[in-house]
Amino acid sequence: MLLLPRNIWRSLISTPQSCAATAFVAFFLLAIQYFRVKAAHDPSSLFFDYRTAYERPYSEIRTKQADAFIAQAGNGPQPKASTNPSLCICAGGVQRYGARYFRTMIGSLLEGLSEKERSDILLVPFIGNVDPNDHQAYKEAWLHNVADHILIYSNETVSAEDQERLRGMENPGGHFEKGLFDWIFMLKGCMNSTADYYVLVEDDALAMDGWYSRTKAALKTIEDSPLYGNSIYLRLFYNTGLQGWNSEYWPYYVFWSVAFELFVLGIIYLLRSSKIKKANEFLTDRAVLVILFICAPACILLYFAAGRITIYSPSSGVYPMNHHACCSQAFVFPAEQVPPLVDFYNEKRVGYRDSLLEEYSDARDMTRWAITPSVVQHVGSKSSKEDAESHEPTDKYGRTVAQNIWNFQFEQWDAKELRREHLHPISEGE
């Protein structure tokens, strides 16, 4: 503004009203610049910058750590579970084409764990191919060195008739049904254990350094909650893109927008009714119209433009998340909740496992929890079906549906800080 001609500058501050308008415009422009930085990684924001938002600073570091662990694990047997672990982790899926997520996922779950932490985990990797030799990892030493037990389809676990049916599902078009069958099989794989909790992780997930201590702390918080008895799961990953200004809540947004206008109008009325001379002189009819129909609406628009995640950014911790959470990358189930869930899945037989899980939970009014920030990231962009990506539609940024299943906060983890923190783990009571 200092660069403006003197006559224009004088006109901007010639009256109290013009001075206030100039200050408002300056403040508004500064707020826009602030949100351009603050909300750059908020997909619900007008200031979302996809060029930087999908960068993977932490995922790249964690992937290197996980792969290094797997490379070392191929040299010999690794620590295993104790006789009484509290967590049973069934993690895996089928062979992917053009990507090797499985080994990195297992490495991220194990890398950095202390001996005590590892002993509290019964690790049951799942090979989803009916012939396990079709999965590259099954033929490699590292998997057998790190696993407590490898879950596969065999004559001991699945009938010959079901095996033949599953082979048919591995053909193009059958993956939809087999996904649910695999999920049921994974849940049953942990039902044979004595663990208190079952953790199901898909092969295209990546766990942060320190996921174990944060998960245990979150479970302790849930156990202390009055909602615990009716809790169905703890979500270790959720898609940030679904946490924005969801359209079904438009009456709520309209209500509070109108309430804000009425609040401003009420303040104006009180000031104009008061005996404060300067307030009455300032609040001319024209000034009131500008405030109500330009300034207040501009503030409301900026509020929504900033994005819901930016405005309502939750602090770190564990919170109920009963709606707008996706997808099925990583769940923790209380052991006692799994048998009825498996019965429900068996009744349905066909469907998306995460959608069916929400249907099951809604029907029983069950509480669903999530850790914030997410301790697991979805890194998958390659399908389990060859050449499937070439037929998948892309969004305006040229990204597929799979690539947009993303948690933006996960990438803000600091690898050095997490490693220091892991040396002094979060206690279960915190």
Side-chain angles (χ1 to χ4, degrees):
M1 288 186 180
L2 295 176
L3 300 178
L4 293 173
R6 184 174 298 180
N7 60 327
I8 296 178
W9 174 249
R10 285 177 177 173
S11 67
L12 291 176
I13 58 173
S14 60
T15 65
Q17 291 85 353
S18 60
C19 189
T22 301
F24 176 81
V25 171
F27 169 80
F28 197 82
L29 293 175
L30 286 173
I32 288 176
Q33 293 303 313
Y34 170 79
F35 286 123
R36 284 183 64 185
V37 176
K38 181 72 173 178
H41 290 186
D42 181 350
S44 67
S45 173
L46 187 65
F47 306 103
F48 177 66
D49 184 357
Y50 78 95
R51 294 166 297 183
T52 61
Y54 288 105
E55 291 177 350
R56 305 168 47 159
Y58 181 66
S59 287
E60 290 179 358
I61 294 173
R62 189 56 180 161
T63 295
K64 291 177 181 178
Q65 293 174 339
D67 289 344
F69 176 88
I70 293 299
Q72 187 276 330
N75 298 327
Q78 299 294 307
K80 301 294 176 71
S82 68
T83 56
N84 191 33
S86 68
L87 300 181
C88 172
I89 301 181
C90 193
V94 298
Q95 178 66 46
R96 304 253 179 171
Y97 295 92
R100 296 210 61 190
Y101 303 125
F102 182 72
R103 57 183 290 155
T104 303
M105 177 269 292
I106 296 293
S108 70
L109 289 171
L110 297 177
E111 198 280 334
L113 292 181
S114 67
E115 253 185 65
K116 181 180 179 181
E117 290 172 334
R118 176 61 185 92
S119 68
D120 192 42
I121 296 170
L122 180 69
L123 181 62
V124 186
F126 168 62
I127 302 296
N129 296 84
V130 178
D131 182 353
N133 290 298
D134 289 341
H135 199 296
Q136 188 173 354
Y138 190 71
K139 297 176 284 188
E140 297 175 340
W142 68 266
L143 179 62
H144 302 268
N145 290 342
V146 302
D148 292 295
H149 172 68
I150 300 176
L151 189 64
I152 61 173
Y153 290 121
S154 67
N155 293 333
E156 289 75 27
T157 57
V158 177
S159 68
E161 181 182 352
D162 278 340
Q163 287 188 57
E164 192 60 35
R165 186 164 63 90
L166 288 169
R167 285 191 182 91
M169 294 179 190
E170 289 184 342
N171 297 323
H175 181 75
F176 171 74
E177 185 178 357
K178 186 173 181 296
L180 183 59
F181 196 100
D182 288 347
W183 193 253
I184 295 170
F185 193 70
M186 292 170 72
L187 287 169
K188 288 182 176 179
C190 275
M191 285 172 65
N192 295 324
S193 74
T194 59
D196 299 319
Y197 293 96
Y198 305 159
V199 186
L200 265 64
V201 184
E202 294 192 353
D203 59 350
D204 57 356
L206 182 74
M208 62 170 282
D209 183 10
W211 72 268
Y212 170 87
S213 58
R214 291 178 184 275
T215 299
K216 292 287 286 186
L219 291 173
K220 181 63 170 61
T221 299
I222 296 170
E223 288 171 357
D224 292 340
S225 166
L227 300 174
Y228 171 70
N230 201 37
S231 298
I232 179 64
Y233 64 67
L234 168 65
R235 183 182 286 276
L236 304 185
F237 167 85
Y238 61 89
N239 184 359
T240 315
L242 299 180
Q243 300 294 309
W245 303 112
N246 293 290
S247 58
E248 61 266 37
Y249 298 121
W250 71 264
Y252 174 85
Y253 308 144
V254 171
F255 172 82
W256 285 109
S257 297
V258 172
F260 177 73
E261 282 278 4
L262 292 175
F263 173 77
V264 173
L265 179 61
I267 295 296
I268 292 172
Y269 175 79
L270 289 175
L271 289 173
R272 292 189 71 170
S273 301
S274 69
K275 296 181 180 180
I276 304 175
K277 183 178 179 181
K278 288 188 177 181
N280 280 276
E281 291 176 351
F282 178 83
L283 291 172
T284 63
D285 291 345
R286 184 177 179 181
V288 169
L289 290 175
V290 169
I291 293 171
L292 289 178
F293 295 103
I294 296 179
C295 297
C299 291
I300 293 172
L301 290 175
L302 182 61
Y303 174 88
F304 285 103
R308 184 181 180 278
I309 298 167
T310 301
I311 297 297
Y312 294 109
S313 180
S315 57
S316 299
V318 56
Y319 303 94
M321 189 178 287
N322 290 353
H323 305 288
H324 306 298
C326 176
C327 298
S328 57
Q329 270 62 43
F331 288 108
V332 184
F333 295 96
E336 65 271 17
Q337 297 289 1
V338 171
L341 177 61
V342 168
D343 291 339
F344 172 79
Y345 278 144
N346 281 323
E347 290 174 6
K348 291 292 184 178
R349 297 184 64 83
V350 177
Y352 290 109
R353 51 205 179 198
D354 53 341
S355 298
L356 290 176
L357 179 56
E358 298 310 303
E359 177 186 331
Y360 175 88
S361 304
D362 285 338
R364 292 157 181 79
D365 195 26
M366 304 188 81
T367 303
R368 287 139 277 182
W369 301 81
I371 294 181
T372 297
S374 174
V375 298
V376 168
Q377 179 66 292
H378 171 249
V379 294
S381 60
K382 294 289 184 180
S383 171
S384 57
K385 302 180 289 297
E386 193 169 10
D387 295 329
E389 293 79 22
S390 61
H391 304 292
E392 189 172 357
T394 58
D395 66 7
K396 62 182 178 181
Y397 306 124
R399 297 179 64 83
T400 64
V401 173
Q403 291 171 332
N404 281 326
I405 299 174
W406 192 251
N407 188 282
F408 295 93
Q409 287 80 12
F410 182 90
E411 299 304 327
Q412 296 173 19
W413 289 117
D414 184 302
K416 292 182 180 178
E417 182 61 32
L418 288 176
R419 188 47 54 104
R420 282 195 294 268
E421 180 185 286
H422 206 153
L423 298 175
H424 306 283
I426 300 172
S427 70
E428 296 181 16
E430 293 179 344

